[in-house]
């Protein structure tokens, strides 16, 4: 006998979508601190032995974030992420086929405030990455410091996140059987300081390390632009040279992460809060740019490939911007 469940009502579905986004925002704003506090607090309870055992295992497992991570498919396929996808909604757009016998390096743009598009598309199956690109396993790079936090590191790796160091990147890209994608948010946390609705500014002009990495492994570069990524939050005005921007840069040098002062809507009202606006995100994956293997590329050779990447990214943006309500007179700006 087949049991059929009644479809969820629209109000309930919207509440679940909002709840999924709230837990995601919380996970990146407070979960790391909670995991650290819980780990320390457990030492002073009768469960202290569990902390000791975890600490021993953690030490033995410390290289895992640089060795491809440890994805858990049940977590990547969780219904929570599908509700989160539908909240905005988020759509992954494929423009060409990718050969699963080949490894790829994807440059993701822009960072946005919390990189919602990058997370949903590469760290979950909510947008159908494995269906669109069968035989290909995505890995998204994240600052290494986050993998030093107990429990939180395991949560990150379960989605396919790996540490952002050269050893980690090489491990993914040197797979002789192919089928790996290394996704890098090129602008990084610093680009988040310019993330506001309507912004098309990318921190990319002098970021060439990813190009050199692709050349050393002979890995094709794939430009990815996420339309709507910057529209999820408002940000306190912080132009270059302002006291706020200087303070943010100083804190970034000390802490390793940027601290954009952002706001959007609340949970039960729409005037103010930290919950992102319901605005669609379309993440468009461009065509691969062939890269010749060169173990020691010169600065000039790197510049040539980097220039080609900028042109292909601009072309991708121009070809698709009209579909996603970007004004005709708006173009990408590289700083």
């Amino acid at each position: 006998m087949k049991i059929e469940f009644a479809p969820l009502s629209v109000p309930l579905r919207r509440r679940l979508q909002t709840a999924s986004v709230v837990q995601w925002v919380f996970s990146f704003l407070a979960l790391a601190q909670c995991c650290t506090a819980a780990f320390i607090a457990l030492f002073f309870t009768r469960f202290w032995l569990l902390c000791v055992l975890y600490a021993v295992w953690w030490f033995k497992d410390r290289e895992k974030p640089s060795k491809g991570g440890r994805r858990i498919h049940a977590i990547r396929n969780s219904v929570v992420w599908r509700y989160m996808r539908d909240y905005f909604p988020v759509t992954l757009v494929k423009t060409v086929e990718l050969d699963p016998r080949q490894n790829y390096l994807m440059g993701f743009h822009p960072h946005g405030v919390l990189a919602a598009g990058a997370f949903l598309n590469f760290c979950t199956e909510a947008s159908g990455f494995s269906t669109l690109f069968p035989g290909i396993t995505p890995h998204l790079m994240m600052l290494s410091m986050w993998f030093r936090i107990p429990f939180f590191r395991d949560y990150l790796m379960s989605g396919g996140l790996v540490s952002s160091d050269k050893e980690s990147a090489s491990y993914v890209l040197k797979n002789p059987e192919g089928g790996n994608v290394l996704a890098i948010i090129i602008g990084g946390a610093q680009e988040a300081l310019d993330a506001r609705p309507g912004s098309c500014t990318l921190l990319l002009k002098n970021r060439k390390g990813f190009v050199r990495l692709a050349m050393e492994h002979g890995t094709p570069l794939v430009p990815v632009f996420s339309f709507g990524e910057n529209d999820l939050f408002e940000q306190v005005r912080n132009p270059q040279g302002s006291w706020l921007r200087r303070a943010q840069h100083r804190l970034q040098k000390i802490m390793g992460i940027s601290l954009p002062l952002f706001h959007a809507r609340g949970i039960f009202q729409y005037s103010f809060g930290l919950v992102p606006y319901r605005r669609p995100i379309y993440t468009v994956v461009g065509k691969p740019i062939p890269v010749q293997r060169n173990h020691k590329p010169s600065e000039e050779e790197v510049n040539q490939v980097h220039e080609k990447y900028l042109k292909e990214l601009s072309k991708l943006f121009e070809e698709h911007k009209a579909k996603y309500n970007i004004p005709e007179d708006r173009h990408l700006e590289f700083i």
Side-chain angles (χ1 to χ4, degrees), residues 293-310:
R293 185 186 295 273
N294 187 340
H295 292 292
K296 293 184 178 180
S298 65
E299 196 66 30
E300 182 180 353
E301 290 170 328
V302 171
N303 289 338
Q304 289 175 354
V305 177
H306 183 261
E307 188 63 31
K308 186 174 183 180
Y309 181 86
L310 295 183

Side-chain angles (χ1 to χ4, degrees), residues 244-317:
L244 177 56
R245 181 60 74 98
R246 289 196 300 270
Q248 288 172 323
H249 281 315
R250 181 166 297 183
L251 287 172
Q252 183 180 356
K253 290 180 181 178
I254 296 172
M255 304 173 62
I257 57 174
S258 65
L259 296 172
L261 297 180
F262 62 91
H263 61 89
R265 50 158 289 193
I267 299 176
F268 303 110
Q269 43 75 33
Y270 293 88
S271 57
F272 188 83
L274 297 180
V275 181
Y277 294 121
R278 284 180 177 267
R279 292 172 180 171
I281 299 173
Y282 298 94
T283 303
V284 183
V285 179
K287 66 178 182 179
I289 303 169
V291 175
Q292 295 294 322
R293 185 186 295 273
N294 187 340
H295 292 292
K296 293 184 178 180
S298 65
E299 196 66 30
E300 182 180 353
E301 290 170 328
V302 171
N303 289 338
Q304 289 175 354
V305 177
H306 183 261
E307 188 63 31
K308 186 174 183 180
Y309 181 86
L310 295 183
K311 290 180 180 178
E312 289 297 326
L313 178 60
S314 295
K315 181 180 177 182
L316 179 71
F317 178 81

Side-chain angles (χ1 to χ4, degrees), residues 5 8 13 78 88 109 112 119 129 156 174-175 194 218 229 234 256 332:
F5 296 93
L8 297 175
R13 190 182 301 116
S78 172
F88 296 103
H109 315 271
F119 176 80
F129 184 95
L156 296 177
K174 70 181 181 182
N175 181 16
D194 289 310
E229 193 74 43
E234 301 287 349
L332 291 184

Side-chain angles (χ1 to χ4, degrees), residues 15-16 21 28 31 65 81 101-102 131 221 224 245 263 272 282 293 332 335:
R15 290 193 195 101
L16 289 172
V21 173
F28 280 92
L31 186 56
W81 308 130
R101 296 168 297 180
Q102 175 74 61
T131 302
L221 286 164
V224 178
R245 181 60 74 98
H263 61 89
F272 188 83
Y282 298 94
R293 185 186 295 273
L332 291 184
I335 60 174

